[in-house]
Amino acid sequence: LKPSTKGGSISNKSICSGAAMMANWGNCRICSENPFTVLFGWKQPEKKCAATERKCKPSKRNEKDFKPRSEEEVKEAVAKWSEYVHARARDFFAGTQQLEEVLAQLAKGTDKDCDPVAGSETQCVYWYGDVTKDECQAAIRMVKPGEMQESVTYVNRVLAFMFATDESFEKLMALPKEPFRMNCGDQLCVHLAHISLATC
């Protein structure tokens, strides 16, 4: 996947915005079920393909190699990535604060020398934040708009929602509501460019 162009001002004709999802619940193909489930996979699907049934596939990530960002570096990453955020994400999150909080979590969970949004496609960007217990998938805690409590979802789904082009996003939304497969074969990689559009 490629990030949307800087500024995130592309009109999204084929996908409802977050506000439209809530206002027009059930009026479009994607909005016909809980939008949080569709977008982020809040709950596990009933059926899983053979690839996702395997528990904790080995990852090349080495926690000893992790170099966390300083608070200043987190702010710099948030400012940089904000330029690539798609309009659908800006519409979905309630104001810039909530959006920046999610971006800050992405910055804190990845190495300071790696960029999951605009970095080199030849390099994996490993996740050092939360990981799901059963499947070893990169996970992130975030508060759904309109709620107070945190929920856990998959990092690669959040990345796709926030940065993918309209064309790629529509294809991804047709896939099962589970973590997206990574082209590099490492599910703890969270590089946007490594997210696969293929099914299992």
Side-chain angles (χ1 to χ4, degrees):
L1 294 184
K2 301 277 188 185
S4 57
T5 56
K6 284 188 177 183
S9 58
I10 301 173
S11 63
N12 191 357
K13 297 177 182 176
S14 57
I15 305 298
C16 288
S17 69
M21 281 184 183
M22 301 314 247
N24 300 306
W25 191 289
N27 290 342
C28 77
R29 175 177 56 82
I30 290 175
C31 303
S32 62
E33 55 186 299
N34 187 320
F36 302 113
T37 300
V38 173
L39 296 174
F40 303 118
W42 297 111
K43 63 179 182 180
Q44 294 293 328
E46 293 179 5
K47 295 181 180 179
K48 297 183 182 181
C49 66
T52 55
E53 284 176 350
R54 301 187 196 107
K55 292 186 178 181
C56 291
K57 286 178 123 180
S59 171
K60 294 180 181 177
R61 183 191 73 169
N62 186 342
E63 293 191 33
K64 293 179 181 177
D65 294 337
F66 179 49
K67 297 183 289 296
R69 289 179 171 87
S70 65
E71 286 302 314
E72 188 60 35
E73 289 169 329
V74 168
K75 290 178 183 177
E76 290 172 5
V78 168
K80 178 182 178 181
W81 297 338
S82 292
E83 296 180 16
Y84 294 97
V85 172
H86 194 282
R88 81 175 75 87
R90 295 185 187 281
D91 291 343
F92 185 77
F93 290 103
T96 57
Q97 181 179 350
Q98 193 173 25
L99 178 63
E100 288 178 355
E101 286 173 2
V102 175
L103 292 173
Q105 281 198 68
L106 293 173
K108 291 175 182 177
T110 53
D111 191 279
K112 70 177 186 177
D113 295 329
C114 299
D115 187 337
V117 179
S120 169
E121 296 179 19
T122 61
Q123 180 184 17
C124 282
V125 177
Y126 295 113
W127 181 250
Y128 295 93
D130 291 336
V131 174
T132 59
K133 184 177 179 181
D134 294 334
E135 298 174 342
C136 294
Q137 300 285 345
I140 191 170
R141 298 173 188 273
M142 53 188 284
V143 179
K144 304 173 191 177
E147 296 195 5
M148 300 297 291
Q149 291 187 325
E150 287 184 333
S151 297
V152 177
T153 189
Y154 304 114
V155 176
N156 57 21
R157 292 190 72 92
V158 173
L159 280 166
F161 174 68
M162 295 181 78
F163 300 107
T165 62
D166 289 338
E167 182 181 1
S168 295
F169 184 67
E170 185 167 8
K171 290 177 181 177
L172 289 169
M173 289 301 95
L175 298 178
K177 301 170 194 69
E178 54 191 39
F180 296 129
R181 202 174 87 193
M182 304 304 286
N183 281 324
C184 59
D186 196 322
Q187 288 302 120
L188 291 185
C189 170
V190 292
H191 199 313
L192 180 67
H194 291 192
I195 296 175
S196 174
L197 292 172
T199 56
C200 299

